[in-house]
Amino acid sequence: MLEIRNLVVKIADEDKQILNGLNLTVNDGEVAAIMGPNGSGKSTLSYVIAGKEDYEVLDGEILLNGENVLEMEADARAAAGIFLAFQYPLEIPGVATMTFLKAAMNAQRKARGEAELLTPDFIKQVNAAADALSIDKAMLRRPLNVGFSGGEKKRMEILQMALLQPSMCILDETDSGLDIDALRIVAEGVNALRDKSRGFLVITHYQRLLDHIIPDTVHVMSKGRIVKTGGKELALELEKSGYAAYGEAA
Amino acid sequence: MSVVTPLKTAAEQALSAQFAAAKAELPGALPVRKLREDAFAGFEVKGLPHRRLETWRYTDLRSLLREARPLAATATVTDGVRARLAALALDGVRLVLVDGVFVPELSTLEGLPEGLAVHSLADALVSGREDIARVLSGPGVADADAGLMLNTALMRDGVFIEIAAGTELDAPVAIISLASGEDERAIFHRSVVLAGPSVKATIIEISESAGTAASQINGAIVFETGDESDVQHLRMVTRHAPETVQVQSLLATVGAQANFESFALVLNAGTLRQQYFVRYAGEHTNIGLRGVNLLGGSEHSDVTLVMDHEVPNGTSREMFKSIIGGEGTGVFQGKVIVRQHAQKTDGSMKSNALLLNDGASMFNKPELEIFADDVVCGHGATVAQIDGEQLFYLMARGLPRPQAEALVLQAFAGEAVEFVQDEALRALVMTEIEAWLSLREASSVVSAI
């Protein structure tokens, strides 16, 4: 379970405050969507949960299963079960995708006191996950995300999510840059991971993604706070009325 | 006109005395003796290179060499030397220099592949061959360099390799130059590689120390490669005492429709100046100079190169990657000369450095001197820190910071290493880089605790 209490965040090197006392709970097994206009602080929220250093938390706490993660570095948060699917996955030239996947899986296992994966088991797991997401094996031999299309990068994010088995998945604008087929594949990948022990926070600008990943709850974010919470019908409402009613232009 | 004679430093005076005492016993027939005398006379006018010379601006040899160590005249083959030779994972022909002196009993001289002939440089210098002055001297752009003059005057030994036209060597030829490191010595060595037309060969050059004493090393290698040849050169300068001061010169004259590529890995090398003087002797030739410098402590690595495009249709590719921590200093000075008739020259020069902390520094000085009007030449020089976005991405997947950093750094270096064509050698280079990075990774974990 993810609980965020009165979170106040500014950009580290500037005076600009982005999150202004945000409260949010995502229960195990719940798919929560956050919608909001550009600049409302959605991506900042995802980065702060994952542990990016460019921000300064002025107040509040982020609890994962009751434990405050704010003192942890990003890698410790990942090992604790937080996974952020990036809006813009980074290209890492010179690092083979397979090398990276194995390093990530073993680093998390090591942090949790588990034995390293044996190579045949690792390959079996990767192949199965790649097949489910229609990921070409040739892609796995290339340097991580280098020269991948937008859709390939997003599928690679979901592949990592499937392999790392996090308890709290955050999807930051995962629909951006996807055509309708890629969107369907990515959504199916996410839906396959839905589980009563796993929470999802799906951040999106548009209703479109939520046609494929049906949320249990929808939160509206504006000016760094959650201003309205409802069921999946709230997303449809927003699609019609826009964000103007929440004090911001779309 | 008044002539200003600068005061000689203690080291310069000592070098003069050493040359006077040693010149009678240094190997060489008459033309070589003249070459030595002329070179030393030239050196005496110039003195040790210093920072007021543009080409030596960032590596002040005059202040680095406070004292000139005694000349090494014999090979001290220690247990350390034997152990290091046994540990080296290299296939093919091994030619071993210890303290700059060729040691036949440690070298592969039996059953050499057909078309490959090997002599000691000392033998070649006394042999009386008529072309000796030419093959020793290399491209004209090297003539004014005082470091090289000193090498010419004092070179004791080395290897002299001749590869007959059309020979394709399956396995590399390694020149392994070990300083015994028993006491502080000055080592002057030079090797020559004469590759005929259509030769295909890989030459490895290793510079290491087997002991703990800091040496002063002045090494040179001269390549003269024929038309349609493909010569690959790999240099690894590692395992030296931090106070080692070393100059390594590479001189290459490359024929037409040929390929010449050099890659240099530098780590744990103390203070090192690598200088390249390269001339295109024929058209449609590709030359690539690349390298990775890994620096920490107070290490200093200077890469200075001059590519002389004398003829049209030449391609040059330079790519140097530097990772600098501690109080380390990296230097890259790259000059590409495109002479008036060298139309259709295609040149690309890159020097990229990552600084790991505040004390580290990098000096980048790329230069293009273009006199032709139909060329494509570019250069890029960058100095940056580890990309924080890449680091966060890897950490968000669970990699601890030191491991994430090592992966980013390995990838950064890997972009140059991938040009090492021989797969086994590429793996050897990557192994050395990974070992350096993992030591750094381990020490950063300790300091975090």
Side-chain angles (χ1 to χ4, degrees):
Chain A
M1 184 167 79
L2 180 75
E3 295 166 274
I4 300 174
R5 294 181 188 152
N6 187 36
L7 192 63
V8 181
V9 170
K10 76 175 193 70
I11 296 176
D13 299 331
E14 297 173 30
D15 275 338
K16 197 171 172 191
Q17 197 164 304
I18 310 283
L19 301 182
N20 301 301
L22 182 138
N23 291 287
L24 176 71
T25 299
V26 183
N27 288 306
D28 292 345
E30 179 182 347
V31 175
I34 291 191
M35 300 186 71
N38 291 328
S40 58
K42 302 190 300 293
S43 282
T44 296
L45 175 63
S46 70
Y47 284 145
V48 172
I49 298 170
K52 198 167 193 228
E53 285 180 333
D54 307 351
Y55 303 97
E56 191 179 332
V57 177
L58 301 174
D59 199 5
E61 51 189 7
I62 300 176
L63 305 173
L64 181 70
N65 302 323
E67 193 184 0
N68 193 350
V69 301
L70 283 175
E71 296 303 312
M72 297 180 188
E73 285 225 76
D75 59 311
R77 297 188 199 194
I82 291 175
F83 181 93
L84 170 62
F86 281 57
Q87 181 176 6
Y88 302 109
L90 274 289
E91 297 190 3
I92 320 272
V95 175
T97 302
M98 286 299 260
T99 308
F100 158 76
L101 291 174
K102 197 169 180 205
M105 289 172 79
N106 279 329
Q108 294 204 13
R109 293 174 73 93
K110 193 175 170 193
R112 293 192 295 257
E114 298 165 16
E116 285 204 355
L117 266 177
L118 297 172
T119 302
D121 295 337
F122 163 72
I123 290 172
K124 213 179 288 174
Q125 287 189 34
V126 173
N127 285 343
D131 286 344
L133 288 158
S134 307
I135 289 174
D136 188 354
K137 301 289 188 301
M139 235 169 92
L140 298 170
R141 290 193 290 270
R142 281 156 51 189
L144 183 59
N145 291 327
V146 177
F148 289 16
S149 70
E152 286 173 334
K153 283 180 182 169
K154 295 299 171 70
R155 272 185 275 161
M156 190 55 72
E157 293 292 284
I158 306 303
L159 175 81
Q160 292 171 35
M161 193 163 91
L163 291 172
L164 294 169
Q165 296 281 319
S167 62
M168 184 65 225
C169 306
I170 303 156
L171 282 74
D172 186 11
E173 305 270 5
T174 290
D175 51 334
S176 69
L178 292 189
D179 61 36
I180 195 71
D181 292 326
L183 183 68
R184 188 179 43 75
I185 292 170
V186 164
E188 280 170 7
V190 172
N191 288 331
L193 292 170
R194 289 179 78 154
D195 183 305
K196 63 180 187 311
S197 64
R198 182 173 291 134
F200 287 84
L201 187 59
V202 180
I203 294 172
T204 181
H205 195 72
Y206 300 107
Q207 142 73 17
R208 186 176 75 150
L209 179 65
L210 304 180
D211 289 338
H212 298 272
I213 304 172
I214 313 286
D216 300 305
T217 39
V218 174
H219 303 277
V220 182
M221 189 162 172
S222 173
K223 294 179 181 166
R225 308 173 65 164
I226 302 296
V227 292
K228 187 167 185 180
T229 297
K232 63 185 177 200
E233 66 288 346
L234 182 54
L236 295 167
E237 230 172 84
L238 282 168
E239 191 74 3
K240 280 189 215 129
S241 61
Y243 295 112
Y246 302 99
E248 293 192 39
Chain B
M1 196 177 87
S2 66
V3 175
V4 179
T5 310
L7 283 176
K8 280 190 173 185
T9 65
E12 286 163 350
Q13 289 174 31
L15 284 164
S16 294
Q18 284 176 349
F19 181 68
K23 64 183 180 185
E25 52 99 8
L26 283 166
L30 203 59
V32 176
R33 297 198 172 275
K34 175 149 183 0
L35 211 60
R36 291 186 188 276
E37 290 280 2
D38 290 349
F40 201 80
F43 169 75
E44 283 203 299
V45 171
K46 289 175 174 280
L48 284 165
H50 51 79
R51 64 190 152 77
R52 288 187 304 282
L53 292 172
E54 194 57 29
T55 51
W56 284 83
R57 187 166 169 187
Y58 304 101
T59 304
D60 192 331
L61 210 55
R62 185 176 279 175
S63 67
L64 284 164
L65 290 183
R66 296 226 167 274
E67 287 174 69
R69 301 292 173 213
L71 299 178
T74 52
T76 308
V77 180
T78 61
D79 289 347
V81 166
R82 290 181 194 282
R84 187 56 203 139
L85 288 172
L88 262 175
L90 280 181
D91 295 333
V93 174
R94 290 176 170 217
L95 305 170
V96 177
L97 307 177
V98 175
D99 298 326
V101 176
F102 182 61
V103 186
E105 56 272 27
L106 296 176
S107 304
T108 323
L109 293 172
E110 302 288 314
L112 291 179
E114 207 182 316
L116 174 66
V118 175
H119 294 94
S120 73
L121 181 82
D123 284 351
L125 293 178
V126 297
S127 69
R129 54 183 292 164
E130 286 180 356
D131 61 352
I132 193 76
R134 193 203 78 227
V135 300
L136 286 170
S137 61
V141 283
D143 286 351
D145 185 74
L148 202 58
M149 287 172 177
L150 209 49
N151 183 282
T152 304
L154 291 167
M155 59 188 169
R156 166 83 51 184
D157 205 349
V159 290
F160 197 96
I161 298 171
E162 289 172 282
I163 310 171
T167 303
E168 297 193 4
L169 296 177
D170 296 332
V173 176
I175 304 167
I176 303 165
S177 178
L178 299 180
S180 58
E182 286 289 289
D183 42 23
E184 294 178 340
R185 285 293 155 101
I187 297 168
F188 291 83
H189 63 81
R190 182 177 301 199
S191 291
V192 175
V193 179
L194 301 179
S198 304
V199 160
K200 207 168 171 353
T202 299
I203 308 292
I204 303 170
E205 225 193 329
I206 288 179
S207 167
E208 295 186 8
S209 177
T212 51
S215 308
Q216 294 173 348
I217 301 172
N218 185 326
I221 188 163
V222 186
F223 285 93
E224 197 178 290
T225 69
D227 294 350
E228 296 179 28
S229 61
D230 180 1
V231 175
Q232 303 286 317
H233 171 243
L234 168 66
R235 174 189 280 162
M236 300 211 282
V237 187
T238 66
R239 296 178 175 82
H240 284 285
E243 299 79 21
T244 301
V245 177
Q246 184 165 188
V247 177
Q248 289 286 354
S249 306
L250 183 149
L251 302 99
T253 304
V254 183
Q257 293 173 307
N259 190 40
F260 178 81
E261 289 181 284
S262 171
F263 180 93
L265 174 67
V266 173
L267 59 96
N268 298 331
T271 294
L272 170 66
R273 153 90 165 197
Q274 292 187 93
Q275 43 184 7
Y276 299 78
F277 303 98
V278 177
R279 184 170 80 91
Y280 290 73
E283 293 189 36
H284 297 287
T285 279
N286 174 61
I287 298 178
L289 305 178
R290 301 178 183 92
V292 168
N293 296 286
L294 307 177
L295 309 178
S298 55
E299 288 167 350
H300 176 104
S301 168
D302 176 338
V303 173
T304 294
L305 59 89
V306 184
M307 307 286 281
D308 191 358
H309 287 269
E310 264 182 25
V311 295
N313 297 306
T315 307
S316 61
R317 294 286 179 270
E318 296 83 47
M319 182 194 280
F320 286 86
K321 300 266 183 180
S322 303
I323 298 174
I324 310 171
E327 305 275 313
T329 306
V331 177
F332 174 80
Q333 303 186 102
K335 183 190 274 191
V336 176
I337 304 169
V338 183
R339 299 195 187 265
Q340 199 171 352
H341 301 293
Q343 300 293 5
K344 305 284 182 193
T345 291
D346 172 358
S348 159
M349 177 159 62
K350 283 182 193 161
S351 167
N352 309 115
L354 287 181
L355 304 184
L356 301 177
N357 50 261
D358 280 349
S361 45
M362 177 76 200
F363 299 93
N364 264 324
K365 201 181 74 186
E367 289 176 88
L368 300 176
E369 278 186 10
I370 302 176
F371 302 99
D373 56 13
D374 184 14
V375 302
V376 181
C377 282
H379 64 74
T382 62
V383 181
Q385 293 172 302
I386 291 181
D387 183 337
E389 300 289 326
Q390 287 185 343
L391 204 57
F392 171 60
Y393 185 68
L394 295 174
M395 288 178 71
R397 296 298 176 256
L399 296 178
R401 183 182 298 274
Q403 200 186 343
E405 281 188 2
L407 209 54
V408 172
L409 295 175
Q410 189 184 317
F412 174 76
E415 283 181 75
V417 179
E418 68 182 55
F419 287 95
V420 175
Q421 293 195 1
D422 183 294
E423 197 178 333
L425 296 181
R426 198 163 59 236
L428 181 69
V429 168
M430 271 329 278
T431 303
E432 293 278 351
I433 291 175
E434 282 164 25
W436 188 87
L437 288 173
S438 67
L439 272 182
R440 188 185 163 268
E441 189 183 322
S443 67
S444 65
V445 170
V446 170
S447 63
I449 297 166

